[in-house]
Amino acid sequence: MSSLERYALHHNPTVRGSALNALALYPDPVAHAAVVQGLHDPAGVVRTSAANAAAKAHVREAIEPLFALLARGEESAARALAAMADADLVRKLGDQL
């Protein structure tokens, strides 16, 4: 997994995004932290990959950053939040609208 963490910081956005997608497969706090960090990436393709990875792995720590991206109009954040939705998150989504 340490190689994937390194690739999550790679200079190429496509490589960063691919690494984040792969990290979603690991139920590990370090992998989840890398996914959350990807939500703050300057490259949209990386943020989209991170949002997809957060949804796939149900990374609860990603919820607040996903709300921030949703407020900026990023569609991938809306899809990720919808995929992760439970009763509490649906209530929170309703409060945001």
Side-chain angles (χ1 to χ4, degrees), residues 1-2 5 8 20 23 26-37 61:
M1 188 172 65
S2 63
E5 292 170 52
L20 292 171
L23 283 166
Y26 292 92
D28 179 85
V30 174
H32 288 184
V35 169
V36 171
Q37 186 59 38
E61 301 84 2

Side-chain angles (χ1 to χ4, degrees), residues 14-95:
T14 303
V15 173
R16 291 195 306 273
S18 295
L20 292 171
N21 283 324
L23 283 166
L25 302 174
Y26 292 92
D28 179 85
V30 174
H32 288 184
V35 169
V36 171
Q37 186 59 38
L39 295 169
H40 302 283
D41 197 278
V45 68
V46 177
R47 292 191 306 274
T48 297
S49 292
N52 294 338
K56 186 187 307 181
H58 289 272
V59 179
R60 303 302 289 179
E61 301 84 2
I63 291 173
E64 290 305 320
L66 285 168
F67 272 112
L69 291 176
L70 181 64
R72 291 177 26 198
E74 295 210 20
E75 185 179 319
S76 61
R79 286 192 310 269
L81 288 166
M84 296 170 63
D86 58 15
D88 290 333
L89 187 52
V90 168
R91 235 181 330 277
K92 191 170 186 175
L93 278 168
D95 292 344

